[in-house]
Amino acid sequence: METRMKMTAAAFLELPETNLPRELIDGEIIEMTASELDHQDVVLNLGILFKQAAKERGGKAYVAPVDVVFDEINIPQPDVIYLAPESRCIPEGTKRLLGAPDLIGEVLSPSTARKDRREKFNLYQKHAVREYWLVDPRDQLVEVWQHQNGKFARLDVYGMGETFESALIGSIEVNAIFS
């Protein structure tokens, strides 16, 4: 369930800290309840994959909730983030990131799938996130998008038993995401 209100980035960043997901998308605050357990399992698995990539390739990995400031009306909290060593996305102190992360994984749930596929997809495309994964725990599918020539191009949709190549973190076994 979501509650929505309009706000600026400056006002949003002054709100008290919370562990529940709360984002600012197109000037609208979106507050959500805690996610389902299957969602949490997949976020944890992605976090482990991204952390391993950071260890092997350099960079950093983060798991929500972490504010990512794109502009004055957009501060999403992606489920999982990977920042490459040469990333344009930089920490602002110890509380948030500024700019587009290199790789974002959003785990779909019935209440967020539409937003992840539309508003967040368009936001991440506009700000040139290099790679975007839409991860569906129910159907155990990973839809991979890569930013090319100013927009996202779909690499493919991968299921259990398949492997795909991330431009940023290498070879990924889909089973590892849903195990």
Side-chain angles (χ1 to χ4, degrees), residues 24-27 68-76 78 87-89 97-104 119-132 146-148 150-152:
L24 185 68
I25 306 292
D26 291 329
V68 179
V69 180
F70 279 92
D71 56 36
E72 281 305 309
I73 59 170
N74 289 292
I75 305 175
S87 186
R88 302 165 294 149
C89 184
L97 299 171
L98 299 177
D102 299 288
L103 171 55
I104 291 177
E119 290 91 345
K120 284 185 157 185
F121 180 96
N122 291 329
L123 176 66
Y124 298 162
Q125 179 175 253
K126 174 184 174 185
H127 288 277
V129 169
R130 292 169 58 190
E131 199 165 288
Y132 182 35
Q146 293 179 339
H147 204 269
Q148 301 171 2
K151 57 192 315 190
F152 279 137

Side-chain angles (χ1 to χ4, degrees), residues 22-111:
R22 178 173 58 201
E23 306 175 299
L24 185 68
I25 306 292
D26 291 329
E28 187 172 46
I29 292 180
I30 301 168
E31 295 180 326
M32 296 162 283
T33 57
S35 56
E36 295 179 7
L37 296 177
D38 64 343
H39 184 278
Q40 289 295 321
D41 285 341
V42 173
V43 167
L44 180 59
N45 291 342
L46 285 173
I48 291 167
L49 283 173
F50 287 18
K51 184 71 172 175
Q52 185 63 35
K55 182 179 177 183
E56 292 171 2
R57 297 170 176 260
K60 294 288 285 180
Y62 297 97
V63 176
V66 60
D67 291 332
V68 179
V69 180
F70 279 92
D71 56 36
E72 281 305 309
I73 59 170
N74 289 292
I75 305 175
Q77 287 187 348
D79 287 321
V80 187
I81 300 166
Y82 170 73
L83 305 180
E86 72 284 355
S87 186
R88 302 165 294 149
C89 184
I90 57 168
E92 179 186 59
T94 60
K95 294 190 96 174
R96 64 188 62 93
L97 299 171
L98 299 177
D102 299 288
L103 171 55
I104 291 177
E106 291 285 8
V107 179
L108 304 177
S109 64
S111 64

Side-chain angles (χ1 to χ4, degrees), residues 35-36 38-40 42-43 46 79 105-118 120 132-143 178:
S35 56
E36 295 179 7
D38 64 343
H39 184 278
Q40 289 295 321
V42 173
V43 167
L46 285 173
D79 287 321
E106 291 285 8
V107 179
L108 304 177
S109 64
S111 64
T112 65
R114 182 179 169 101
K115 178 177 51 113
D116 291 338
R117 290 189 178 282
R118 295 180 77 187
K120 284 185 157 185
Y132 182 35
W133 299 2
L134 290 161
V135 182
D136 183 342
R138 298 237 159 98
D139 292 331
Q140 296 187 320
L141 296 171
V142 181
E143 188 173 342
F178 299 110

